[in-house]
């Protein structure tokens, strides 16, 4: 086997560690371990992109730059043995790089930018006045599939599959459109969380400077799901009509997704146990017993999908002219929202000092890289097809190892993800950061000029 | 503000009265008698405390509006007092309480929240013209939406109005277009149309704009006052104002139950027994769920964990207790790694080392339990059927039950809990339930006196 030989011949192999002494070196065993991660951090992790991103233009030569900016950002490392290092900070990309390579963290979390260097927070604490406080932080969202456990039948807990993942796709679409159209944000990064969810980073200067109260308001704006273990009603849509945001979410995303995909893929109305859960949401006994009567008699010859057919029946009964109550008409929407509307972990969004896992980390349980997701093509994203650590190493080994880290990266399947990160997020972001920097600098210049002439 | 001991009464001539609706932007330049200094402050505290109680009982906005009006009339605006006397009292009492409540983060938070609520409802009680005048006084840079722009968003504005159950908007309605950041509460409630970063605020919603301004001004002012107080005033006034100010702040806030008082410690072996006899429903539910599932999500761990701390469960016992349950589900190692930290944290042994206080009813009622969560207030968060079943299990009779459910339907969650307490203990609870740990200690008091009665030698 040529590849086998090639590898054994190579003395200058950059990949080392116990696994490479194993007798079958052409086979990289599946999964995740510290030595794989070391290679990933030495050859693939995009330090300079991360640094550029989180500097927001403050890393250049421009006289308006705040050179302390990146150094005031908290990063935290979770190490192999569950040791948790908070309040790490770095002045430059290379400082970050050497720390990551040295410590080889299983997880890197990103915190806020503080008023002062977080690693020196104790020195400032002495002064009494509380000067150590978060001053900037991306607006973040965390959506986790476990929060959908009561409405998905294919998987539960940490598992996801192609049948339930579209819930995340719907969530991305709804939140992404609203962040852009309603709130006017432009620089939004969506990232696969590595296992069963997605993270969202809103990076506009305006978003980074929101107060906790304003963050909470946005979280609440998105918060429709009110269910808990002890109540039947799962969503609260407000008064007799729907707010324009909910109208758009319903007509542009949820209705189609529910009726054309989710209803059938989860077989929501096929079995008694499942349709009873839907009927629970209809507060009118006579209607539920009418539908139950139709559905218990299971003989139907039509080729049409049972779920779709029954959904048609349900809508007909609820929306027919004889139902005067607004409440009942709204039931159809309530059911659709209950099953498909995004469920956010709003605590993450509400507080500036909440930590969130950095993009391009590797999930220790799945070995998958937290890659960006393109919101415009989020239907095409397949979580089971995301590059894993072992796959990336194999790709690295397959080809001859180049000198240049850049080309190593492009050769692997991670290359595409990095390219997406740059083209759809980083470049437009840095362009507008530069403009803002220029703008505020000129204003300051003008001001000092004015005061001088005066 | 000058404080004098003289008996001279404040007369209208001492201050130029401009508006009947002060924004408290500058401290008044007038003399105040020392007795008034304290008396006015106490009267205003009665108003604020009344509002706080009303909010924690889950009163609806229109009920709060009436409450504020009543409290204001009975404590600040005495019928015999002239308009200017009332205004002076309003301003003086506000500034005295700033001194009282500027001194810790927690005090500031409470004061800010109550003063803002008071301001909000007083503003709402003003007439349209007066509201516009106040809006102008804040000097906000917002212009009304032009007719052409109105036309372009009319459909959306109508949708919003309909979603709020209001009559459809008309083109002569005034809307202000403001950055959404300025009206967080309207955004949070989806009460405005939000487009490209701007919220369209209707004239009848400008109260939110004004309140945001008021709140942020007051918040800044409190921090400045605190700085001044600690650096200068407190020392200079240590024989005169300082004792009054310090007494005012402690005399009125209820106990926070951060330390178990009166019963000493509860040990692990007694836990099941007291859970059955003296835990309020919210805690009993969490306790039972923990025993059943051997797990609770974060909100539940916080609510029950801090309560148990307040009840007097020592840290070591708490660790043993949580570990014995969680181990059955996640194993002892995972418990030590992932959960033990949180429990030590609650007891102030990790992180910022703050000794956290148990949650009050208000905090629990306003929490938002989600999927898999069991915390929250059962009277608020349970469906009617589940609540009935739970009360039944607690031994509430069917007659008492209907009274409890009645309170629940009217959103008087704490009164419902009070009635449950009375039904179970067979004795009245006049103060009402405001805190789960108060429920516990009141219950223990009653049970211990019963033990003494039945068994005097014990």
């Amino acid at each position: 086997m040529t590849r086998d030989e090639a590898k054994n011949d190579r003395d200058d192999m950059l990949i080392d560690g116990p696994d490479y002494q194993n007798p079958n070196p052409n086979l990289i065993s599946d999964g995740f371990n510290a030595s794989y991660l070391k290679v990933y951090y030495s050859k693939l992790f995009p330090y300079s992109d991360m640094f550029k991103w989180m500097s927001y233009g403050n890393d250049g030569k421009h006289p308006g730059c705040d050179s302390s900016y990146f150094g005031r950002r908290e990063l935290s490392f979770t190490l192999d043995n569950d040791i948790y290092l908070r309040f790490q900070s770095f002045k430059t990309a290379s400082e970050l790089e050497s720390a990551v390579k040295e410590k080889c963290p299983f997880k890197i979390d990103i915190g806020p930018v503080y008023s002062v260097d977080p690693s020196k927070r104790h020195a400032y604490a002495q002064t009494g006045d509380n000067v150590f406080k978060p001053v900037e932080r991306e607006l973040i969202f965390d959506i986790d599939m476990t929060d959908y456990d009561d409405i998905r039948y294919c998987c539960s807990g940490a598992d996801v599959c192609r049948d339930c993942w579209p819930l995340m796709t719907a969530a991305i679409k709804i939140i992404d459109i609203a962040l852009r159209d309603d709130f006017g944000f432009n620089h939004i990064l969506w990232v696969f969380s590595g296992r069963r969810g997605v993270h969202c980073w809103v990076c506009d200067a305006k978003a980074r400077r929101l107060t906790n109260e304003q963050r909470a308001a946005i979280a609440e704006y998105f918060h429709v799901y009110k269910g808990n273990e002890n109540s039947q009603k799962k969503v609260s849509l407000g008064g007799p009509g729907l707010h324009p945001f909910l109208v758009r979410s319903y007509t542009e995303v949820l209705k189609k997704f529910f009726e054309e995909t989710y209803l059938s893929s989860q077989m929501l109305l096929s079995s008694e146990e499942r349709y009873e859960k839907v009927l629970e949401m209809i507060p009118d006994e006579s209607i539920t017993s009418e539908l139950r009567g139709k559905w218990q008699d299971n003989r139907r010859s039509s080729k049409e999908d049972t779920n779709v057919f029954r959904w048609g029946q349900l809508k007909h009964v609820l929306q027919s002219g004889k139902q005067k109550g607004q409440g009942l008409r709204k039931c159809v929407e309530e059911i659709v929202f209950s099953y498909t509307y995004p469920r956010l972990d709003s605590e993450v969004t509400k507080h500036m000092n909440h930590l969130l896992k950095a993009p391009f980390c590797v999930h220790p349980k799945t070995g998958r890289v937290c890659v960006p997701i393109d919101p415009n093509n989020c239907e095409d994203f397949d979580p089971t097809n995301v590059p894993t650590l072992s796959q990336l190493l194999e790709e690295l080994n397959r080809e001859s190892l180049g000198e240049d880290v850049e080309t190593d990266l492009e050769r692997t399947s991670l290359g595409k993800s990095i390219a997406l990160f740059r083209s759809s997020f980083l470049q437009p972001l840095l362009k507008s950061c530069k403009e803002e920097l220029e703008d505020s600098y000129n204003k300051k210049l003008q001001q000092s000029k004015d005061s001088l002439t005066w | 503000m000058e404080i004098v001991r003289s008996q001279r009464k404040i007369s209208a001539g001492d201050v130029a009265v401009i508006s009947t609706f002060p924004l408290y932007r500058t401290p008044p330049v007038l003399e105040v008698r020392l007795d008034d200094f304290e008396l006015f402050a106490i009267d205003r505290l009665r108003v604020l405390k009344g509002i706080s109680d009303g909010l924690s009982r889950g009163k609806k906005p229109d009920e709060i509006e009436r409450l504020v009006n009543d409290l204001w009339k009975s404590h600040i605006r005495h019928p015999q007092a002239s308009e200017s006397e009332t205004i002076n009292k309003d301003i003086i009492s506000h500034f005295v309480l700033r001194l009282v409540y500027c001194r810790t983060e927690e005090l500031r938070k409470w004061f800010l929240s109550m003063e803002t609520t008071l301001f909000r409802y007083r503003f709402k009680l003003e007439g349209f013209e007066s509201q516009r005048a106040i809006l102008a006084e804040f000097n906000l840079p917002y212009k009304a939406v032009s007719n052409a722009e109105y036309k372009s968003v009319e459909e959306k504005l109508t949708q919003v109005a309909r979603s709020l159950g209001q009559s459809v908007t008309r083109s002569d309605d005034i809307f202000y277009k403001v950055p959404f950041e300025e009206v967080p509460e309207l955004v949070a409630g989806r009460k405005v149309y939000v487009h490209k970063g701007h919220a369209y605020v209707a004239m009848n919603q400008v109260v939110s704009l004004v309140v945001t301004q008021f709140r942020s001004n007051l918040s800044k002012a409190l921090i400045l006052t605190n700085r001044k107080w600690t650096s200068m005033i407190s020392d200079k006034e240590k024989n005169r104002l300082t004792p009054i100010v310090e007494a005012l702040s402690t005399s009125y806030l209820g106990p926070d139950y951060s330390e178990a008082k009166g019963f000493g410690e509860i040990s692990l072996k007694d836990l099941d027994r007291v859970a059955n006899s003296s835990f309020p429903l919210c805690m009993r539910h969490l306790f039972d769920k923990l025993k059943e599932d051997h797990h609770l999500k974060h909100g539940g761990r916080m609510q029950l964990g801090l309560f148990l701390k307040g009840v007097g469960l020592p840290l070591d016992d708490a660790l043993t207790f949580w570990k014995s349950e969680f181990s059955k589900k996640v194993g002892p190692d995972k418990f030590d790694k992932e959960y033990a930290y949180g429990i030590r944290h609650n007891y102030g042994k990790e992180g910022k080392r703050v000794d956290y206080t148990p949650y009050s009813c208000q905090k629990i009622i306003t929490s938002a339990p989600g999927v898999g969560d069991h915390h929250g207030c059962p009277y608020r968060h349970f469906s009617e059927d589940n609540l009935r079943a739970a009360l039944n299990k607690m031994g509430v009779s069917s007659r008492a039950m209907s009274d409890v459910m009645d309170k629940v339907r009217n959103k008087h969650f704490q009164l419902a809990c009070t009635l449950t307490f009375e039904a179970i203990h067979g004795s009245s609870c006049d103060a009402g339930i405001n805190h789960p740990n108060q429920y516990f200690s009141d219950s223990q008091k009653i049970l211990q006196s019963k033990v003494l009665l039945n068994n005097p030698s014990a």
Side-chain angles (χ1 to χ4, degrees), chain A residues 87-359:
Chain A
F87 299 116
Q88 308 293 299
S89 66
F90 308 97
K91 289 192 184 63
T92 59
S94 60
E95 254 185 43
L96 167 69
E97 180 166 354
S98 33
V100 170
K101 281 178 175 165
E102 184 211 333
K103 301 219 167 73
C104 195
F106 275 34
K107 192 164 111 182
I108 303 172
D109 283 297
I110 301 177
V113 176
Y114 284 93
S115 46
V116 295
D117 181 347
S119 63
K120 301 201 178 75
R121 68 197 180 285
H122 293 305
Y124 291 102
Q126 318 285 305
T127 63
D129 249 354
N130 201 8
V131 288
F132 178 66
K133 56 173 191 289
V135 288
E136 273 194 34
R137 207 276 182 275
E138 292 78 8
L139 174 67
I140 51 176
F141 296 92
D142 180 8
I143 314 174
D144 190 311
M145 195 63 100
T146 42
D147 286 331
Y148 291 81
D149 274 359
D150 61 316
I151 51 105
R152 58 184 185 139
Y153 297 104
C154 49
C155 317
S156 70
D159 300 324
V160 291
C161 69
R162 289 193 179 93
D163 279 339
C164 53
W165 184 260
L167 287 166
M168 288 293 145
T169 311
I172 294 175
K173 284 186 192 163
I174 284 175
I175 307 289
D176 193 70
I177 298 172
L179 287 171
R180 292 173 202 275
D181 286 2
D182 299 0
F183 293 103
F185 296 127
N186 296 308
H187 302 290
I188 301 169
L189 175 68
W190 286 94
V191 185
F192 175 51
S193 73
R195 178 153 66 165
R196 56 183 181 203
V198 292
H199 296 158
C200 173
W201 301 78
V202 187
C203 302
D204 298 59
K206 213 171 84 153
R208 284 181 270 135
R209 286 164 204 157
L210 293 170
T211 63
N212 281 343
E213 194 195 7
Q214 291 159 344
R215 285 162 205 266
I218 297 175
E220 278 305 307
Y221 184 81
F222 287 129
H223 190 70
V224 159
Y225 185 80
K226 297 274 152 85
N228 66 65
E229 290 303 302
N230 299 296
S231 94
Q232 262 96 43
K233 203 167 161 101
K234 298 292 183 196
V235 292
S236 146
L237 301 179
L242 291 184
H243 183 275
F245 157 64
L246 297 178
V247 171
R248 185 187 57 215
S249 302
Y250 183 72
T251 54
E252 288 182 16
V253 182
L254 297 180
K255 183 169 188 290
K256 186 164 154 21
F257 168 56
F258 181 81
E259 295 186 342
E260 292 174 19
T261 310
Y262 205 65
L263 187 60
S264 310
S265 75
Q266 299 288 331
M267 300 194 284
L268 297 180
L269 296 175
S270 297
S271 68
E272 183 175 343
E273 179 212 346
R274 291 188 193 180
Y275 70 61
E276 279 302 333
K277 267 193 84 170
V278 175
L279 292 180
E280 260 176 27
M281 291 183 230
I282 303 174
D284 185 307
E285 285 280 349
S286 68
I287 290 180
T288 50
S289 56
E290 182 186 339
L291 288 170
R292 208 174 275 125
K294 286 185 183 161
W295 295 350
Q296 266 159 359
D297 175 23
N298 218 356
R299 279 156 303 165
R300 227 175 38 78
S301 52
S302 150
K303 281 226 172 82
E304 200 184 357
D305 181 288
T306 323
N307 302 288
V308 176
F309 181 76
R310 289 179 172 174
W311 179 246
Q313 289 179 314
L314 181 148
K315 279 212 295 191
H316 181 75
V317 176
L318 282 173
Q319 293 174 332
S320 69
K322 60 181 176 182
Q323 303 306 339
K324 288 192 198 70
Q326 274 285 358
L328 285 177
R329 283 166 173 274
K330 240 173 108 180
C331 246
V332 172
E333 284 141 36
E334 276 175 8
I335 293 168
V336 173
F337 272 92
S338 299
Y339 279 92
T340 56
Y341 185 83
R343 300 178 177 188
L344 304 173
D345 181 347
S346 27
E347 291 307 311
V348 176
T349 306
K350 284 178 181 170
H351 305 288
M352 270 183 129
N353 53 5
H354 220 290
L355 296 163
L356 192 66
K357 182 159 58 169

Side-chain angles (χ1 to χ4, degrees), chain A residues 81-82 129-130 146-150 180-186 206 210 213-214 216-218 220-232 236-247 341 343, chain B residues 155-157 159-160 162-166 179-198 212 215 227 285 289 297 337 368-375 381-383 385-386:
Chain A
N81 36 16
D82 272 312
D129 249 354
N130 201 8
T146 42
D147 286 331
Y148 291 81
D149 274 359
D150 61 316
R180 292 173 202 275
D181 286 2
D182 299 0
F183 293 103
F185 296 127
N186 296 308
K206 213 171 84 153
L210 293 170
E213 194 195 7
Q214 291 159 344
I218 297 175
E220 278 305 307
Y221 184 81
F222 287 129
H223 190 70
V224 159
Y225 185 80
K226 297 274 152 85
N228 66 65
E229 290 303 302
N230 299 296
S231 94
Q232 262 96 43
S236 146
L237 301 179
L242 291 184
H243 183 275
F245 157 64
L246 297 178
V247 171
Y341 185 83
R343 300 178 177 188
Chain B
E155 186 199 337
K156 306 288 180 189
L157 297 178
Q159 273 178 356
V160 174
R162 229 186 305 130
S163 81
L164 297 171
Q166 291 164 354
F180 78 86
E181 292 97 324
E182 305 275 323
V183 284
E185 52 171 38
L186 295 179
V187 172
R190 289 193 293 271
K191 293 194 166 96
V192 281
Y193 174 53
V194 188
H195 183 64
K196 291 288 176 203
H198 286 91
T212 306
R215 194 188 162 89
R227 250 177 239 163
H285 180 65
K289 279 293 159 192
K297 292 182 80 169
K337 268 191 207 160
V371 191
D373 275 334
H374 290 285
H375 67 273
H381 296 110
F382 278 24
S383 69
D385 290 345
N386 284 336

Side-chain angles (χ1 to χ4, degrees), chain A residues 365-435:
Chain A
K365 293 271 160 43
T366 61
R368 295 193 192 279
V369 182
C370 303
V371 293
I373 300 174
D374 180 2
N376 298 317
N377 297 298
C378 53
E379 297 88 349
D380 303 335
F381 183 84
D382 177 358
T384 62
N385 203 18
V386 169
T388 63
L389 196 48
S390 47
Q391 180 195 340
L392 289 174
L393 294 209
E394 226 168 308
E395 286 166 1
L396 270 185
N397 286 340
R398 201 173 296 148
E399 317 279 328
S400 62
L401 286 171
E403 294 293 305
D404 191 359
V405 178
E406 198 68 8
T407 53
D408 275 344
L409 185 61
E410 280 159 17
R411 266 203 337 268
T412 66
S413 38
L414 195 61
K416 257 190 255 161
S417 298
I418 301 275
L420 172 70
F421 180 79
R422 288 177 188 157
S423 66
S424 73
F425 171 70
L426 190 60
Q427 283 152 9
L429 172 71
L430 295 184
K431 184 162 170 277
S432 72
C433 285
K434 215 176 136 196
E435 286 163 9

Side-chain angles (χ1 to χ4, degrees), chain B residues 8-15 30 84-85 88:
Chain B
R8 197 160 65 90
K9 272 199 118 187
I10 299 161
S11 68
D14 283 352
V15 62
L30 65 145
S84 67
E85 277 172 331
N88 282 340

